[in-house]
Structures are given as structure tokens and as C-alpha cells.
Amino acid sequence: MLKLSILDQSRVRRGMKARQALVETVSLAREADKLGFTRFWVSEHHDTPGLVGSAPEVLIAAIAAQTASIRVGSGGVLISHYSPYKIAETFRVLEGLYPGRIDLGIGRAPGGMPLASMALRYGKPANSEDRYLESLHDLGGFLGAGFPEDHRYHGLLTTPLVDTSPDVWLLGSTGHSARRAAELGARFSFAHFINGDGGQDVVRSYRENYRSGALGSEAQAGVCVMVVCAETDELAEQMALPLDVGLLLLEKLGSRTPFPTAEEAAAYKPDDFDRQRMADNRKRMIVGGPAKVKQRLLDFAADYGVDELMVTLALDSYEANLQACRLLAREFGLPGAAAFTG
């Protein structure tokens, strides 16, 4: 049976406060745990008022404290801004508190505009490719792989000295992070919700070239896709319109542009270029009623050759996102779906 997980970006919808977005993320995670989803990941963005998840480590702790069995993780921590040692110790604390439930997803993107990146680095130079690769190697050493005697960090302890480590995933929307994941032994998740083209070849190459390394010893691949699921195909299409227009405006106006309401999206008048971009963006999502979405997700997973999919939801209300989770859980027979009768 296909396993289902969730990536939540803690989106601030029009008219709501940032605090409410955080509350809704934790609440949705509690519901996902009850329904039987496999993982719940949170993202990292900076200088972006519409996405409030700027500190995934903190959200992970809050979510894990209020859930029982679902794995909780980052999608992902942006390693270019931080010390690998600090990341390792932070996630060892999380692993010590919630053993066997923590995923450390690592992203390579800046997660914001250049000014935010400069502030996060606080005077450090921007990461080169060599520095990125060095950071990944060091992260693996700090998490348990260790260092040779001539390494500058040989003998340094990564505390707390817990007896398990978080699973490490590299995240990416191109083949770059997949190659690094294969070289270093990490798990890999392809961001189809960002790039709807070519991901199948990227995942295939990851599997073909995988070898154990500093970041792990098990090849595991996943894919994340946007999903709009409602009671009927027609309702799902209506609910997808704000997402269609929102992604378009994000491209045209930048990351500080709020997603439109359903009324604003319906009033938007796209030109020919807009319609083409909206059609292209539909390759990044699956839209429909429960039966249609289930079949498309099964076909999608088979096309990628994976047994787990992560969905990201960006509907116009918390209730709509929760209903989508419930419909997916019921359609796929997740263990907690029997309690949902709506």
C-alpha cells in the first residue's frame, strides 16, 4: 500500500494573523497523526510574510510534543546558512526527545531574497559548491559517521549522546541534490511541487548511483506534489483556482505577494501568457475528487517508482485542508480513517 505524508508550509491566508498559521500547522499535524499519515514535514522560508515557518526546528518540537507516532521533520533546513555542528546537535536533541520519529531534511536553496541570506550568514561568505559538499560531509560526521584522526573535528562530541540519529534526507527539484544524496548515502525527496518536469529520471538516477556514505546506508526516495482534493471533481477544480492564480502572481510579483481569496481568483482576468503559465503549473499538482486523486497518485507513484508520496496542500481554508487529508486517508485506507465518517 502506498504510504502518504504531508509537507505543510505554514501559509498565511488573506486576512489571518501569522500566529494562527502556526496554530493551524500544529493542529493539522495532530489530525494527520490520528489519520495515520507517515510523516509531517515543515518548511523553512525567510522574509516571506505569507509563509511563517522560519524556524522548522522549533515547529518540529511543538508538533512532536503533540503527536504520538507520526514522523516529524524538516522540509528542509537550509544548510548553506548554518553550522553543520549546530544542525547536528539541534536534531540530536529532537531525536533524544522523540526517538525514532525525527527526519532531518536538508535543502540547498536560500529560502528567501539576498538580503535575508546575508542576514542569516551574518558576514560569512556565500556557500560555494565545495563548501556545500564539505558541510554535508561534516554533518554526517557530527551525526555519527565520525572523522579520521587528521580531521580538524576529530574527537569533537555531538551532544546529547543519544543512541539513535534522525534519518537524513536531501531535498531538491533538480538532479543536483539527488547526485549528492546518492554519493553520501542520504535519502532523497524530489520536489515535484516546485518542478513538474524530469523528476522521474532524477529519482531513477539516484537509485542507480546510490552507495552508503556519511549520511546513511539505505536508498529511499520520495516525491512531494501539490494536491487539491475535495468531495467532487467539480468542487476540486473550483478550489484549485486560487492556487492557480496564486502561483502565477508569485512568479510575476515575488514572494511577498499574498495568495488570492477565492473571490479575488475568480475576478482575475488572465491573458494568453497567464493561461499558458497556469497550464504549466498544473503539472506540479493533482486535482480532483477522492477517486480521481487516488488513481492519479497511484499512477504518479508508479511512474516515479516510489512507495511513499508527500502531499502539500494550499487550499483556501484550514477546514478545506483538513477535509482533503481526511478524504485521502479514507480513500487509501489509512489506519485512522475509520474514525472519520464525514
Side-chain angles (χ1 to χ4, degrees), residues 220-268:
Q220 186 174 349
V223 186
C224 184
V225 60
M226 283 184 278
V227 169
V228 177
C229 185
E231 288 82 354
T232 66
D233 292 347
E234 294 75 17
L235 181 58
E237 285 295 332
Q238 295 175 26
M239 296 174 72
L241 183 59
L243 184 56
D244 289 328
V245 176
L247 292 173
L248 176 68
L249 296 178
L250 193 66
E251 293 176 2
K252 297 175 75 170
L253 302 177
S255 62
R256 291 190 174 185
T257 305
F259 264 48
T261 63
E263 294 75 18
E264 289 168 338
Y268 185 81

Side-chain angles (χ1 to χ4, degrees), residues 142-287:
F142 293 134
L143 284 173
F147 299 97
E149 289 187 4
D150 60 349
H151 195 280
R152 60 180 172 171
Y153 295 130
H154 176 71
L156 178 63
L157 297 178
T158 306
T159 55
L161 300 177
V162 294
D163 56 3
T164 58
S165 288
D167 289 346
V168 180
W169 294 74
L170 297 193
L171 319 177
S173 58
T174 68
H176 181 276
S177 290
R179 289 191 294 274
R180 295 308 187 200
E183 292 168 8
L184 297 172
R187 294 161 170 82
F188 174 69
S189 181
F190 185 80
H192 189 97
F193 73 102
I194 295 175
N195 177 13
D197 294 308
Q200 295 87 342
D201 290 338
V202 170
V203 170
R204 189 177 305 112
S205 177
Y206 162 77
R207 291 192 182 279
E208 290 173 351
N209 293 287
Y210 181 88
R211 62 177 185 266
S212 296
L215 295 179
S217 58
E218 178 185 356
Q220 186 174 349
V223 186
C224 184
V225 60
M226 283 184 278
V227 169
V228 177
C229 185
E231 288 82 354
T232 66
D233 292 347
E234 294 75 17
L235 181 58
E237 285 295 332
Q238 295 175 26
M239 296 174 72
L241 183 59
L243 184 56
D244 289 328
V245 176
L247 292 173
L248 176 68
L249 296 178
L250 193 66
E251 293 176 2
K252 297 175 75 170
L253 302 177
S255 62
R256 291 190 174 185
T257 305
F259 264 48
T261 63
E263 294 75 18
E264 289 168 338
Y268 185 81
K269 304 299 183 185
D271 57 24
D272 290 342
F273 175 81
D274 290 344
R275 281 187 283 271
Q276 182 59 55
R277 288 302 306 138
M278 290 164 73
D280 289 342
N281 283 331
R282 275 297 180 102
K283 293 188 290 185
R284 300 156 55 188
M285 66 181 83
I286 291 174
V287 178

